[in-house]
Every structure is written in structure tokens, then in C-alpha cells.
Amino acid sequence: MADLHVELTAPNGVKYTQPIGLFINNEFVKSRTGEKITSINPTDESEITSVYAAGPEDVDVAVEAARKAFEDPSWADIDSTERGDLLYKLSQLIQEEAETLATIETWDNGKPYKVALNEDVAELIKTLKYYAGWADKIHGQVIDTNPTKLAYTIREPLGVCGQIIPWNYPLTMAAWKLGPALACGNTVVLKAAEQTPLSILYLATLVKKAGFPPGVVNILNGYGRTAGAAIASHLGIDKVAFTGSTATGREIMKMASVNLKNITLETGGKSPLLVFDDADLDKAIEWSHVGIMSNMGQICTATSRILVQEGIKDRFVERFAEQVRKVSKVGDPFQEDTFQGPQVSRTQYERVLSYIDAGKSEGATLKAGGTAHKTNKDDKGYFISPTIFTDVSDRMTIYREEVFGPLVVIVPFTSEAEAVAKANDTTYGLGAAVFTQDLSRAHRVARKIQSGMVWINSSNDSDYRIPFGGVKQSGVGRECGEAGLAAYSNLKAVHVNLA
């Protein structure tokens, strides 16, 4: 239908056809209510287009389609290698459309184009290829007990999986969820974030083109409080996977309990980065900057608390501030030399500014930034200057709460024991980084830090082949790697009496 697509020209001159409907049963359709969500360009606050917003009735239709597809022989009985072939075909189609997808992601989200292309879209392709390779290698085992019994296990798909992805890495997070779910033989109802629906809808066109049967992948736009809640509480959904804030994760956990859904939650973080006095300072500066300032600080694993040993603290602060001045060029995300684009939305922009105000009012010392960044004469765009606070106590709001923006606190420590204690003094436990040339210390500290992931002499260099997830209030379960498959399959035991 013509009114379910619009012709758009992005700021970099790329012209393409943008779907605006709900993708159900391999077709784009209008929502039952006709309600729409307007996508805003965070660079200049202009409207890009509006897409249909799903309500509970639309979720019902999508779940019904997914259930039918799950039980239909075209998917249920497909050869596992053919299932992998479909995922691989999808990855090839994405490769062909990489520049368009990166353009949409930059326009809709605000991240630098070079990052969208070389990191986000690249990881989307690699992740789908990775799980394509797993599709025909998911198996059970025979368990030897005694001569009169044959016992074996079977890995089975869960059924219909609800997936709710965030706005900071739409394509990457879609890959982390779609890849293992489809490799295991599940069907999916995926909801894009209301702030960034456009790239996922374009991805849906490639799902159909790759040859997936109708209903296997259904993609909805919609608000979290309506479509997201309907997915989390739906009795026809067997699993829900969510990436987003801890507060929302708690609500999803409650709603999913209605039928004891299998759940995977990847939620908030306030990750520490520890720099010991024997660290390679050049390496520590480079990685600590990437760990907090990349993607406009909008990273769940952002190492936003930098803990530096007392003897090198002053030198580290000066060097880090210089790195920010040198590298963190704020501006138009389509410009080649831009490191930091705008925050994703006005809400997020105002949220980060409120934390900056809290840091100032609570007595922290502002070393750099601390203001909105203006890139043009009309003051449009959700840009924030990279911000550094020192003289921060462990009771301050900016030390304890997740900001999700380009704001970092730098705090001294004296001993290894104090560093570990400070690192663990948080309700979160997603990631952590340790910089030291003493490998014994590195491994020792890595074991003591309460987090799902620890990087030694790097920060935030996650990999789709390695498990990703947190402890404490940073989530439940793991994504990526072989562990991601376990989140989308059940282990059935079969007992055979041979007597």
C-alpha cells in the first residue's frame, strides 16, 4: 500500500523508501487505532516522518501470526541448515544495504555515520552470520546411566519470543536478539524503541526478501507503556527479552510473571574503570575516553566512574581532559570528523543536563564541559559538551546514578582493596575495566569485582561471540556467544527403558 511507505532524502543525500507500518506476516499494515509516532532528527529537531504505533490489539495480531508460523511446517520442520541459510542470506542483504541502514540510523538516532556504518551495521552483519553458523549445531547429548536405560536430551525452541530493543543501538540490539532466537527455531515479535523506529522497519523489508516464512519475524513500532507492556504481559508469548533501563526492567519482570515467561533482561549500569599507578597511561587515557564518551555516552556499559590511584590522579585528570578536547569533536553526525553527535531526544538531553546541574549543586568540581553545546546559530539540536567532574564523593547523585550521557566522574583511591570496594559500591554490576601492567593483580581484581564482564587494559570492547550481561540490578541472563542460544532454547530430557 502506497500510504505505508514514504520516499525520503537523508541529510547526506541518500534517497530511499521508508516503511511506516507495522510488519506482521511479512506485510506492512496500519495500526488498528491509526495512532502514529513522529521520528525526530536530534541534530536539528526537525520531523523526519511518522510511523504507525501498535496498541494491544496489534500485539495480539502479531502474536497470533508468530504462533501460527511457529507451528507451521514451513518453519517448524525446516532443515536446520536451511534455517542457517536464511540468516546468512539476511546478513548478505544487509551488507548490500549497509550504507542506507547506516544513514537511517544516523538520521534517526544521532550517532556519527562512520560509527553507524563501521560498528553498528557491521556488527549486525557479523552477529547474524555467527548465529547462521550455529543453526545446525544446536544439539542435545546422550547421557550414560546403565545398560537398561537410554537417556538423551533435545534442545528445543521456546516458542513465540517477545523482544524489546533500546534506542541507543537499535540494529545491534536487534541482531543480538534475532540471531539466537531464529537460529534456535523460535518466532519473534520485536518492538523497536519509539525514539528510533526507522532502521528496524527498513530491516524488516530485508527479512521478507531473505525468504523467511510469514509470521516468523514480526516488527512493531509502539510506545513502551502500551505495546511494550502488551508484549511483556501477553499470555501467548513464551519469552521476553528486554534491553533498557533498570526501572523498566523491573516492570517487565513483574508483567512477565503472569505466565512465568522465560526472561532475559539487560538493564542499567554504573561501570567502574580502575587505573592503577603502574598502568600504561597512554592506553588508559585512550580507552577510558572511549569507554564513556563514545556513542554520546549512551551505553549501558559506559565506564562512567573512573577510579585512579592517588599518585597519578592529577596527571591522569589533565591528560584525560586533553584527550576530550582533542578527540571529542561535537557536531553534525554526518561529518567525517565528528566524534560526538546529539543525544537521542529532548528528554535524554534534558536528563543529562539535570545531572550536570546536580553535580554542580552538590559540590563536585567541574573540570570540563557542563553546558549544552551549540553547533549552529539557531541553537537547534540536542548537543551536550563532554563533561568531567572531579572532587566527587560516593554519596553524590552523579556518582551513584546512571546518567546515560557524556558525563564522567574521576575519583582517587589509595589501595587495591579500596579500589575494589569503591568499584563494588553500586546497585549495578554490568561491566568494569582494570588498567595495570601487573597481570596477577589484573586477574585478582577481575575476580573480586561484582560485574558480569571485566575488561583488562581496555574498555567496552564487547564482542558478539562472547557472553554479555550483568549481575545485581544490571540484568538477568546472557546474550551473545553460545550463551545466547541457551536463552532461546529448552533442554528436554528423554528416558528410554530398554529392559
Side-chain angles (χ1 to χ4, degrees):
M1 296 173 64
D3 56 350
L4 289 168
H5 298 80
V6 294
E7 300 299 322
L8 296 177
T9 302
N12 64 348
V14 171
K15 297 180 179 181
Y16 75 101
T17 302
Q18 174 66 56
I20 61 171
L22 312 176
F23 185 72
I24 301 174
N25 256 335
N26 276 6
E27 301 293 339
F28 287 100
V29 298
K30 297 179 180 180
S31 61
R32 295 300 179 93
T33 64
E35 182 182 8
K36 288 186 175 181
I37 298 171
T38 299
S39 179
I40 301 296
N41 176 3
T43 300
D44 62 9
E45 303 178 44
S46 63
E47 293 187 7
I48 301 174
T49 190
S50 294
V51 301
Y52 284 97
E57 290 183 351
D58 301 299
V59 173
D60 288 342
V61 175
V63 172
E64 183 180 351
R67 179 62 62 188
K68 182 178 179 182
F70 180 72
E71 296 172 353
D72 192 277
S74 65
W75 183 249
D77 297 339
I78 191 173
D79 185 278
S80 59
T81 301
E82 291 181 39
R83 202 162 59 229
D85 289 343
L86 288 171
L87 276 168
Y88 187 75
K89 175 64 173 176
L90 178 57
S91 74
Q92 290 179 309
L93 292 172
I94 293 166
Q95 181 70 68
E96 294 171 8
E97 298 282 355
E99 292 183 359
T100 300
L101 281 164
T103 294
I104 300 169
E105 197 83 319
T106 296
W107 196 9
D108 198 23
N109 172 279
K111 66 177 61 196
Y113 175 78
K114 62 186 177 184
V115 173
L117 180 64
N118 299 324
E119 297 180 20
D120 294 35
V121 176
E123 182 153 346
L124 168 64
I125 294 166
K126 291 175 183 177
T127 303
L128 293 178
K129 282 184 179 179
Y130 174 80
Y131 283 111
W134 267 111
D136 58 4
K137 301 170 189 67
I138 300 167
H139 54 75
Q141 63 181 156
V142 174
I143 302 171
D144 186 32
T145 56
N146 62 66
T148 65
K149 186 184 189 90
L150 170 64
Y152 61 94
T153 60
I154 304 170
R155 278 279 174 194
E156 296 183 328
L158 300 175
V160 177
C161 299
Q163 301 178 329
I164 303 172
I165 61 172
W167 46 257
N168 59 335
Y169 288 98
L171 292 172
T172 300
M173 294 299 100
W176 285 15
K177 291 173 173 56
L178 287 173
L182 297 175
C184 289
N186 299 282
T187 57
V188 170
V189 176
L190 182 147
K191 189 193 86 67
E194 55 259 40
Q195 298 88 347
T196 54
L198 302 186
S199 61
I200 304 302
L201 289 176
Y202 195 84
L203 177 65
T205 66
L206 305 182
V207 169
K208 181 177 181 178
K209 191 174 180 181
F212 283 90
V216 172
V217 177
N218 305 275
I219 295 177
L220 306 179
N221 322 301
Y223 294 103
R225 63 180 179 272
T226 51
I231 288 171
S233 60
H234 204 288
L235 295 176
I237 289 179
D238 304 294
K239 178 198 175 68
V240 63
F242 166 80
T243 298
S245 73
T246 296
T248 303
R250 288 193 196 100
E251 293 304 309
I252 285 177
M253 202 170 190
K254 292 175 186 176
M255 290 184 280
S257 68
V258 66
N259 60 338
L260 294 182
K261 287 180 181 66
N262 179 308
I263 61 169
T264 301
L265 302 176
E266 193 270 284
T267 53
K270 191 70 176 176
S271 300
L273 183 149
L274 284 59
V275 184
F276 287 92
D277 57 12
D278 69 333
D280 179 329
L281 201 56
D282 290 340
K283 184 182 292 185
I285 294 293
E286 179 183 353
W287 279 104
S288 57
H289 172 262
V290 169
I292 177 58
M293 297 302 176
S294 58
N295 207 51
M296 294 71 74
Q298 298 169 155
I299 310 173
C300 54
T301 52
T303 38
S304 55
R305 292 185 297 141
I306 299 179
L307 313 179
V308 185
Q309 198 150 22
E310 184 69 53
I312 62 169
K313 195 259 302 185
D314 291 344
R315 186 154 47 109
F316 180 93
V317 170
E318 293 305 319
R319 291 278 306 276
F320 183 85
E322 176 58 29
Q323 181 78 357
V324 169
R325 285 192 293 271
K326 182 175 68 174
V327 179
S328 285
K329 182 182 184 299
V330 183
D332 181 352
F334 282 107
Q335 294 298 315
E336 179 64 28
D337 60 348
T338 293
F339 179 86
Q340 180 183 317
Q343 307 308 122
V344 73
S345 65
R346 175 164 291 281
T347 298
Q348 190 61 23
Y349 168 79
E350 292 175 348
R351 171 187 167 90
V352 176
L353 289 177
S354 74
Y355 276 107
I356 291 173
D357 289 342
K360 294 174 181 177
S361 65
E362 291 178 13
T365 299
L366 182 64
K367 178 65 179 177
T371 62
H373 182 92
K374 299 307 176 185
T375 62
N376 50 56
K377 60 185 179 182
D378 60 5
D379 291 343
K380 292 289 187 180
Y382 308 132
F383 298 94
I384 293 177
S385 298
T387 299
I388 306 168
F389 279 106
T390 59
D391 300 316
V392 177
S393 78
D394 58 10
R395 295 296 97 194
M396 289 183 181
T397 304
I398 55 173
Y399 184 87
R400 306 213 66 80
E401 296 186 12
E402 183 179 39
V403 176
F404 225 63
L407 185 159
V408 68
V409 300
I410 302 177
V411 177
F413 67 85
T414 53
S415 66
E416 179 181 313
E418 183 186 11
V420 171
K422 284 180 176 293
N424 290 338
D425 182 23
T426 175
T427 58
Y428 298 109
L430 192 52
V434 179
F435 284 83
T436 178
Q437 296 188 71
D438 182 341
L439 287 180
S440 294
R441 170 192 279 160
H443 290 293
R444 183 170 63 245
V445 172
R447 284 180 173 270
K448 291 180 179 179
I449 291 179
Q450 298 163 0
S451 67
M453 300 165 287
V454 177
W455 300 283
I456 296 175
N457 294 326
S458 68
S459 176
N460 276 279
D461 59 337
S462 300
D463 191 296
Y464 58 91
R465 295 161 292 195
I466 300 171
F468 184 103
V471 298
K472 298 196 281 191
Q473 292 186 37
S474 287
V476 177
R478 294 292 180 268
E479 294 186 302
C480 297
E482 187 176 359
L485 297 166
Y488 286 96
S489 59
N490 280 325
L491 193 62
K492 175 184 284 183
V494 179
H495 301 255
V496 182
N497 181 12
L498 302 176

